Amino acid sequence: MRVIGIDPGLRTMGWGVIESDGSRLRHIASGACTSGGGDLGLRLLALHRQLAEILGQFAPGAAAIEQTFVNRDGAGTLKLGQARGVALLTLAQAGLAIGEYAPNAVKKTVVGVGHADKRQIEHMVRLQLPGSDPQGPDEADALAIALCHAFHSRGVRAADRVKA
Amino acid sequence: MRVIGIDPGLRTMGWGVIESDGSRLRHIASGACTSGGGDLGLRLLALHRQLAEILGQFAPGAAAIEQTFVNRDGAGTLKLGQARGVALLTLAQAGLAIGEYAPNAVKKTVVGVGHADKRQIEHMVRLQLPGSDPQGPDEADALAIALCHAFHSRGVRAADRVKA
């Protein structure tokens, strides 16, 4: 199973593609889409085009995205929401089912504790995905989200086998 | 000049296309896109497809969208932001420049006062666009946003003439 994880953001949108084959995990590619400055519509279009190209190039079969933490900064929530909407649309256009995970669930799954900091997440991403070299927290978070989805899907599949 | 106005929303997205020819305004078409229920990615995809079809059918040359009122309801702001991001992307994909107007600016331009209620907006939309018959506040608001953009563009053009 090939999974893309997305850490949504308007300025920078982290992405990471991994492959999960039984108990074996492999880093395929990762990076960050950027929207530059200027007109909001054109920034969203830039994010959409970069993400669509990534989906075309690496052809994941599943997607996962971070559930957005809603805080008291309404303007920030709106910006993030707009970028997240574009990410969800682009994934849906590619026919991908989308798993959503709260930040704490991602941390708990990948690091073992729900309050892990950025350094711990990056450390565990590097440990579990040899060869990955995330160039910033957005890329590391996106790989963590992909890992979280791979672990959860595996758990679901194992539970399915038990039921069957 | 043919203008599309958008009143963004996740459940219902109002739209209205008008034509402005000198001092003459004409209603072309209007309605509301709906996203139904289910998976968020698929709901956003449904909105995108409906809006893209409307743009293809009515070929506006300019677009205007309501600036979102950010309130203390973070979850609501996030939902609206996601739908708004999809609308902005779809307009940008069609090559349209997008005007953004605060709700109060729309009311002030179309009704004459910034605190006008829904009934007043619908009344003025019907008055200024004979033949329009908005079937709800989302459609009426979208037509009001298109009117606001047409009036402002006219003002800009008049000012340009004065300078030239």
Side-chain angles (χ1 to χ4, degrees), chain A residues 134-149:
Chain A
Q135 295 302 301
D138 303 303
E139 188 177 340
D141 282 354
L143 286 167
I145 293 157
L147 279 172
C148 177
H149 191 65

Side-chain angles (χ1 to χ4, degrees), chain A residues 39-57:
Chain A
D39 185 79
L40 181 56
L42 295 179
R43 293 180 71 182
L44 295 170
L45 185 57
L47 292 176
H48 165 72
R49 284 185 173 156
Q50 289 166 67
L51 185 53
E53 195 182 315
I54 289 157
L55 295 176
Q57 190 174 350

Side-chain angles (χ1 to χ4, degrees), chain A residues 9 19 30 33 42 45 47 56 61 78 83 86 103 111 121 125 130 146 158 161:
Chain A
E19 221 164 55
S30 53
C33 308
L42 295 179
L45 185 57
L47 292 176
L78 181 66
V86 165
V111 182
I121 292 169
V125 163
R161 272 199 300 275

